[in-house]
Amino acid sequence: MTLPPAAVSAAAPPAPPRRRRRRRLVIALVTIPLAVIVLLVGAAGIWFATNAVRATPPPAGTLDFSAPLAVPPLAPSRVEHGVRVFELTPQEGSSSFVTGGETPTLGYDGAYLGPTIVAQRGETVRVDVTNGLSDPTTVHWHGMHLPAAMDGGPSSPIAPGATWHPEWTIDQPAATLWYHPHLHERTREQVDAGLAGMFLVRDDEESALPLPREYGVDDFPVIVQDRSFHSDGSFAGGLGMQFDGVLGDTILVNGTVAPYLEVGTERVRLRLLNGSSARMYDLAFADGRPFDLIATDGGLLEEPVRATDIPLSPGERAEIVVAMSPGERVVLRSQAPDPALHAGWAAFDVMELRAAASLTPSPEVPTRLASLPAADDADAATERTFVMSGHSINDREMDLGRADVVATVGTSEVWTVRNGNPLPHSFHVHDTQFRILSVDGAPPPPRLAGFKDTIALEGEREYRLLVRFEDYADPTTPYMYHCHLLWHEDQGMMGQFLVVEPAQRPDLKRPEGDTDDRHDH
Ligand code: C2O
Ligand code: CU
Ligand code: CU
């Protein structure tokens, strides 16, 4: 009910002086803090805005491409009693990225990143990981189907000086996987410092196809990361920490700033990995040339997808084959991404491909690559919903002592994953390669029709995933699912799942020394 103005003034006789003074005091008590809040919010806005500017790479067309692209070495191995054995040593080092000074970095067997591990489907592999850091770490094999005890999640820390010996049999199609630390609440810090490497799985089916496959010749790892630097050359880790975490203003590819890659063949295969902790890319060639998308996270697509761009959120991989003409140069850039994922970014350059004056012929990309089982949810054992919001999943934060999901070995489940925020998240599941059944009720685009272990979640959208738990029942050791924006993951946007035998009781124990401090306050 509203009173006419006259009625209001008639009903409120002039206040006596004391009440008037008190009213002034009340007004002051309300306005002064309000003004301070407005000023603080304004200052924070300016701070965020300037940081956002700082964290934006130079606009497309301005990089000089002065350094040859580093290609990580292949990891050496030996065969012991039928087991292919690799050794990996996370260690401290320093790298030359910028002119201000050396950057203290971490790497596996070197100063930054790690060697590329290659193994064949059917082989049993062991990786002896000796922690040469002064902090604990873990090594997680992202995308690998393997027992939970070998998965290298936060419940498998390796103490400084200790050696961990995970061993498993490679049992999945040829794919571009990767490895990185997964230390509880400290993944971003260790990955951003340089701990990451590629793990390539080969198999007979893929090897029989006429595709570029010679590592470092016509088949290249392309690990894309963004970093910012202090003037002394050290990484600027905490600056620009926004909703997503850290965005850098300098793009590194395989640890090289502004790289060029000399190409000697008519076609090259690029194994693209978004190894950044928060940034989303939409990779495309500057001249708009189409390329063939041949594989996603879990391996080959059924047929190549002709595309002019490929969006990649942190942790995702894509294999593309691009054709080159003799003597030409073309820039791979990240164009302004899908506005649903991230608004307002200008295009920026990533690397340049330089074709030799004469190129070795490459065969055409085959029209048929693989046959994938139909993504059919008819006999899914159960359906679950995961709402990704803020820094939690279904309003819960990561708890090392809690199994959020218990799945039965040999079954499939439908996981409906919804981004409850207008801002981007992503979703990654350990152990298994899933299929996307639908995006907001519609079938996925062809580029998302293959095996995936990580997907970008656009704001407010819903994704139905078909997740299969093929084997490796273990009632005590969990796998993880989480947002792969590493800062979100560290903030607790992660859950744990156990895979058990039918009717087996889950028996997850809180790791020794874990205090579950997040839930104590
Ligand atoms: Cu790439 Cu749980 O990680
Ligand atoms: Cu993973
Ligand atoms: Cu997130």
Side-chain angles (χ1 to χ4, degrees), residues 374-385:
D376 183 1
D377 59 354
D379 44 37
T382 186
E383 301 220 9
R384 306 178 198 269
T385 302

Side-chain angles (χ1 to χ4, degrees), residues 140 142 178 180 182 428 430 480 482 484 489:
H140 165 58
H142 179 130
W178 66 302
H180 64 77
H182 217 299
H428 167 51
H430 287 209
M480 313 291 135
H482 55 89
H484 216 289
E489 172 182 341

Side-chain angles (χ1 to χ4, degrees), residues 424-426 483 485 488 493:
H425 288 294
S426 75
C483 179
L485 275 67
H488 291 186
M493 201 167 201

Side-chain angles (χ1 to χ4, degrees), residues 250-287:
T250 304
I251 303 299
L252 304 180
V253 185
N254 300 345
T256 313
V257 179
Y260 65 86
L261 172 63
E262 282 177 346
V263 172
T265 53
E266 287 177 354
R267 289 188 170 78
V268 278
R269 178 182 193 165
L270 304 177
R271 297 176 188 258
L272 308 169
L273 158 64
N274 181 348
S276 310
S277 63
R279 189 178 285 281
M280 311 257 174
Y281 300 87
D282 186 15
L283 298 172
F285 291 96
D287 60 0

